[in-house]
């Protein structure tokens, strides 16, 4: 891809609806936090630590991918560290003209020094609010439950998210190992979100097949699906996703790295778009996947021949799928559609 095309892609206004806070911490920040907290790291400096935090092209498996969270997972147990990571995430996505970001984190994973679930979530919210003021990126938090956590721990997360919905928490998610932990097990944990009408998005169809997507929709009431790459393995599930107009939060670079898809030639994004699915494009983990929104869209142009017009439509799909109230969503839509028109892209 030529530099001028990349620069144009960078300038387009965008959303990122699926990005994990812990997978997006800058190596330099990990180094500083570890030093301040007295945690010994296996290598010196940001450059030394980068290979321990990013998978690169040769990622072997999901296990390899998940190992890259190891060091970061030790430093994000204070309000200051969480706030800083969220603020810097806004700063990083602003460089790619992301105008709206939904940042997810699993509060139970950040309680090693005694923070409550509410404190963890509010620290991230504060970082995003500061990020909005400094970089003009509107941000919301998604509180993630973990598949391998007990129902009670997940229910605590969902109840906190419901409590904090007017304070910057937009939705709840279910993440973690997909195989062996079917969505049905978590029905009880998500009940408070369903009762309160708080949006639910579920990681599904990444490490497990279409039955996981189906379960996320039918058992847990998911309004969006995280990844959903393997939805096409079952025709009826594909129809269900289409019928209910369920947005898929696809994360191309990550999906190839974790082997959710065996390779670019088998990655179904073009066929999902052509079948009329609400495909959105996201990063998953800025640092672990070593990616950004410009790179994601650039790869779609290179590997699948997406035109700028089609990229514009994917961007608008992201706006439509945002967990914002109608007033805020229309303001974001107006702004983004107008800016896209400035680049000769008319998306609806
Ligand atoms: Zn994810």
């Amino acid at each position: 891809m030529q530099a001028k095309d990349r620069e144009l892609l960078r300038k387009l206004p965008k959303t990122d609806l699926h990005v994990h806070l812990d997978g997006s911490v800058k190596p330099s920040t990990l180094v500083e936090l570890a030093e301040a907290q007295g945690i010994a790291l296996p290598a010196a400096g940001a450059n030394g630590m980068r290979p321990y935090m990013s998978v690169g092209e040769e990622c072997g498996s999901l296990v390899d991918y998940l190992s890259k969270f190891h060091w970061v997972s030790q430093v994000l147990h204070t309000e200051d560290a969480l706030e800083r990571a969220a603020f810097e995430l806004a700063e990083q996505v602003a460089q790619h003209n992301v105008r709206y970001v939904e940042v997810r984190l699993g509060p139970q994973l950040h309680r090693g020094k005694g923070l409550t679930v509410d404190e963890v979530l509010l620290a991230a919210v504060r970082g995003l609010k500061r990020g909005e003021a400094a970089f003009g990126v509107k941000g919301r938090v998604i509180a993630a439950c973990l598949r391998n956590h007990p129902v009670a721990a997940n229910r605590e997360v969902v109840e906190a998210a419901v409590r904090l919905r007017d304070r910057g928490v937009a939705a709840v998610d279910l993440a973690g190992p997909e195989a062996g932990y079917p969505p049905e097990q978590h029905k009880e944990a998500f009940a408070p979100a369903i009762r309160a009408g708080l949006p639910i998005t579920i990681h599904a169809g990444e490490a497990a097949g279409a039955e996981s997507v189906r379960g996320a929709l039918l058992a847990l009431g998911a309004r969006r699906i995280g990844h959903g790459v393997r939805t096409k393995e079952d025709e009826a599930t594909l129809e269900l996703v289409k019928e209910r107009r369920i947005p898929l939060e696809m994360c191309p670079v990550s999906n190839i790295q974790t082997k959710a898809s065996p390779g670019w030639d088998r990655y179904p994004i073009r066929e999902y778009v052509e079948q009329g699915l609400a495909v959105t494009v996201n990063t998953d983990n800025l640092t672990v996947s070593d990616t950004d929104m410009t790179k994601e869209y650039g790869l779609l142009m290179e590997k699948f021949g997406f035109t700028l017009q089609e990229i514009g439509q994917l961007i608008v799909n992201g706006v439509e799928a945002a967990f914002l109230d109608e007033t805020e969503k229309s303001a974001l839509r107006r702004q983004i559609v107008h800016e896209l028109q400035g680049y000769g892209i008319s998306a609806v």
Side-chain angles (χ1 to χ4, degrees), residues 134-318:
F135 312 112
V137 182
K138 188 186 274 295
R140 290 287 186 277
V141 165
I142 297 180
C145 299
L146 273 294
R147 287 180 189 266
N148 51 341
H149 280 188
V151 167
N154 285 334
R155 192 166 169 118
E156 194 183 6
V157 170
V158 174
E159 284 169 351
V162 168
R163 226 172 10 249
L164 300 176
R165 71 179 305 182
D166 295 325
R167 297 178 63 187
V169 178
V172 286
D173 172 30
L174 182 62
E178 212 180 331
Y181 297 96
E184 290 74 10
Q185 288 180 358
H186 299 278
K187 215 169 163 168
E188 198 194 320
F190 282 89
I194 291 176
R195 264 200 307 277
L198 183 71
I200 298 170
T201 175
I202 305 284
H203 279 74
E206 181 189 23
E211 71 290 347
S212 175
V213 174
R214 197 172 185 80
L217 297 176
L218 299 180
L220 300 180
R223 290 201 212 166
R224 298 195 323 226
I225 294 292
H227 306 301
V229 180
R230 295 176 58 184
T231 306
K232 68 171 196 173
E233 290 175 9
D234 177 59
E235 191 59 39
T237 305
L238 193 67
E239 276 309 310
L240 186 66
V241 167
K242 202 192 292 188
E243 239 174 64
R244 293 194 177 183
R245 308 184 63 76
I246 300 292
L248 299 183
E249 305 156 359
M250 299 189 84
C251 304
V253 170
S254 162
N255 295 155
I256 299 298
Q257 289 166 337
T258 64
K259 308 278 189 280
S261 179
W264 287 111
D265 54 332
R266 305 273 297 280
Y267 191 58
I269 192 162
R270 167 65 83 188
E271 65 186 268
Y272 286 171
V273 168
E274 278 167 8
Q275 287 172 12
L277 268 60
V279 171
T280 70
V281 179
N282 312 279
T283 54
D284 209 12
N285 296 287
L286 301 177
T287 306
V288 174
S289 281
D290 186 22
T291 192
D292 55 60
M293 286 306 305
T294 305
K295 183 169 173 180
E296 298 286 347
Y297 284 125
L299 281 163
L300 295 189
M301 294 183 87
E302 269 173 29
K303 307 274 183 196
F304 302 96
F306 277 85
T307 62
L308 271 184
Q309 193 64 40
E310 288 173 317
I311 299 289
Q313 192 56 56
L314 291 170
I315 289 171
V316 172
N317 288 353

Side-chain angles (χ1 to χ4, degrees), residues 22-231:
D22 53 359
S24 303
V25 172
K26 297 194 291 186
S28 55
T29 299
L30 168 64
V31 170
E32 286 179 34
L33 290 174
E35 187 171 357
Q37 297 176 16
I39 294 167
L41 295 175
N47 285 336
M49 281 310 296
R50 203 175 299 275
Y52 291 88
M53 302 174 74
S54 293
V55 290
E57 294 279 301
E58 70 297 334
C59 178
S61 62
L62 185 58
V63 175
D64 184 15
Y65 193 87
L66 295 175
S67 73
K68 305 300 179 184
F69 292 84
H70 176 75
W71 294 102
V72 160
S73 74
Q74 309 197 25
V75 299
L76 294 181
H77 298 271
T78 68
E79 291 177 297
D80 282 355
L82 286 158
E83 183 178 331
R84 175 175 176 181
F87 175 77
E88 290 181 354
L89 198 156
E91 179 182 33
Q92 292 177 82
V93 301
Q95 289 165 5
H96 297 274
N97 274 299
V98 169
R99 300 297 160 76
Y100 176 66
V101 66
E102 289 175 3
V103 178
R104 53 192 80 198
L105 70 158
Q108 301 288 13
L109 301 176
H110 303 281
R111 302 185 61 199
K113 290 186 176 166
L115 295 180
T116 64
V117 169
D118 288 47
E119 284 166 345
V120 171
L121 290 170
L122 288 172
V125 165
R126 277 197 303 279
L128 290 181
K129 290 227 158 91
R130 276 211 290 129
E132 180 170 355
F135 312 112
V137 182
K138 188 186 274 295
R140 290 287 186 277
V141 165
I142 297 180
C145 299
L146 273 294
R147 287 180 189 266
N148 51 341
H149 280 188
V151 167
N154 285 334
R155 192 166 169 118
E156 194 183 6
V157 170
V158 174
E159 284 169 351
V162 168
R163 226 172 10 249
L164 300 176
R165 71 179 305 182
D166 295 325
R167 297 178 63 187
V169 178
V172 286
D173 172 30
L174 182 62
E178 212 180 331
Y181 297 96
E184 290 74 10
Q185 288 180 358
H186 299 278
K187 215 169 163 168
E188 198 194 320
F190 282 89
I194 291 176
R195 264 200 307 277
L198 183 71
I200 298 170
T201 175
I202 305 284
H203 279 74
E206 181 189 23
E211 71 290 347
S212 175
V213 174
R214 197 172 185 80
L217 297 176
L218 299 180
L220 300 180
R223 290 201 212 166
R224 298 195 323 226
I225 294 292
H227 306 301
V229 180
R230 295 176 58 184
T231 306

